[in-house]
Amino acid sequence: MNKIIPPENLPELLERAYLMAGVNLAHIAAQRGLSVPKDLKRDKGWVGQLIEMELGAIAGSKPEQDFLHLGVELKTIPIDSRGHPLETTYVCVAPLHNIQGLTWQNSLVCHKLQRVLWVPIEGERCIPVGERRIGTPILWEPTPHELQLLQQDWEEIMELIALGKVDKVTARHGEVLQLRPKAANSKALTQSIAADGSLKMTNPRGFYLKKNFTASILNRVFG
DNA sequence: GGGTGATCATAC
DNA sequence: GTATGATCACCC
């Protein structure tokens, strides 16, 4: 399979992304020498990693933006026939301890969402994976209002975590940003703050963008 | 039906 | 376990 050089600058990244619009996943997979899974049950990250590869993202499991040199995070987003998101969007792992002094401005959520290249992909399960088409990419930088919503949710959730109430936070907290389990399964454990300030073990959590928020981003283009 | 909580694959 | 990439699937 051909290796793809990372884009040198933002226009180059955008050009590559725009060239994929309208193309289906089987076509991209064939170029990369990959086989297409029959469904995503056991390949949940397949689409995202395929697009990463095609755009020349730096492979790695670092908690940073995909195109660090460009200040861009890449997100594929499954959409229905009307262009609405089918899933929430994972942002990053939530810190559950050692969070004294942590502010919104230096949080991982804030850094990752500073600039996102959204790549919509047809995601309805009735469409065979290989036939799903890539949509028009959207380079998004949060507006001041969006930043305010994100910061407010983040601060409320982090406050509860700091108070040792992580187990009381559900996905219903937050208007645009939510906290949900993010682990291999419900038995996975990590350290978190207990009510008395000591450490206890809890299921790891991650921050996710709710569908309505992502939909409003996509709607700017698709109406 | 839709959202919340659970889960899958993989690298290290 | 933690981090990446996310979607699955049960329950309300």
Side-chain angles (χ1 to χ4, degrees):
Chain A
M1 99 178 97
N2 310 317
K3 70 176 174 185
I4 295 198
I5 307 240
E8 285 185 16
N9 48 50
L10 191 53
E12 195 179 323
L13 171 60
L14 295 180
E15 184 185 354
R16 291 185 191 184
Y18 273 99
L19 285 173
M20 295 194 304
V23 178
N24 69 36
L25 298 181
H27 183 81
I28 304 290
Q31 286 185 336
R32 303 271 66 78
L34 301 173
S35 56
V36 180
K38 69 174 191 301
D39 59 49
L40 300 180
K41 288 181 185 178
R42 295 190 168 276
D43 296 273
K44 298 182 180 181
W46 186 81
V47 175
Q49 287 167 348
L50 180 71
I51 302 302
E52 268 190 358
M53 197 180 299
E54 184 69 8
L55 290 177
I58 300 98
S61 57
K62 295 185 294 288
E64 261 304 344
Q65 292 162 319
D66 296 292
F67 299 95
L68 190 55
H69 59 304
L70 303 180
V72 172
E73 169 75 6
L74 176 66
K75 289 290 179 196
T76 59
I77 177 73
I79 55 168
D80 63 20
S81 57
R82 300 184 305 173
H84 294 172
L86 288 165
E87 296 287 348
T88 56
T89 302
Y90 171 68
V91 180
C92 61
V93 167
L96 302 182
H97 70 109
N98 288 161
I99 55 175
Q100 64 278 17
L102 181 60
T103 63
W104 163 249
Q105 279 74 18
N106 56 37
S107 72
L108 201 45
V109 176
C110 182
H111 282 288
K112 281 213 169 186
L113 297 183
Q114 278 180 1
R115 200 194 245 165
V116 178
L117 181 62
W118 296 95
V119 179
I121 316 267
E122 289 179 327
E124 285 167 320
R125 293 185 202 178
C126 60
I127 308 174
V129 176
E131 294 177 23
R132 297 180 189 177
R133 291 171 300 176
I134 300 167
T136 304
I138 300 167
L139 185 67
W140 169 74
E141 289 180 35
T143 63
H145 177 59
E146 288 169 334
L147 280 175
Q148 181 196 324
L149 293 171
L150 290 165
Q151 177 173 355
Q152 182 173 322
D153 285 347
W154 183 89
E155 288 178 344
E156 285 182 14
I157 292 169
M158 290 308 299
E159 172 76 1
L160 290 168
I161 290 173
L163 292 173
K165 296 180 177 174
V166 64
D167 292 332
K168 293 185 170 49
V169 180
T170 71
R172 285 168 282 269
H173 283 81
E175 294 293 320
V176 300
L177 189 71
Q178 62 182 179
L179 193 73
R180 302 221 309 277
K182 172 60 175 173
N185 53 57
S186 59
K187 286 136 195 137
L189 294 173
T190 191
Q191 288 187 317
S192 69
I193 300 171
D196 66 0
S198 65
L199 291 178
K200 65 176 180 180
M201 301 305 284
T202 337
N203 190 225
R205 314 298 166 95
F207 282 111
Y208 296 77
L209 298 177
K210 300 180 79 168
K211 280 191 204 175
N212 57 4
F213 186 70
T214 312
S216 72
I217 296 171
L218 302 182
N219 280 346
R220 288 185 199 167
V221 176
F222 296 112

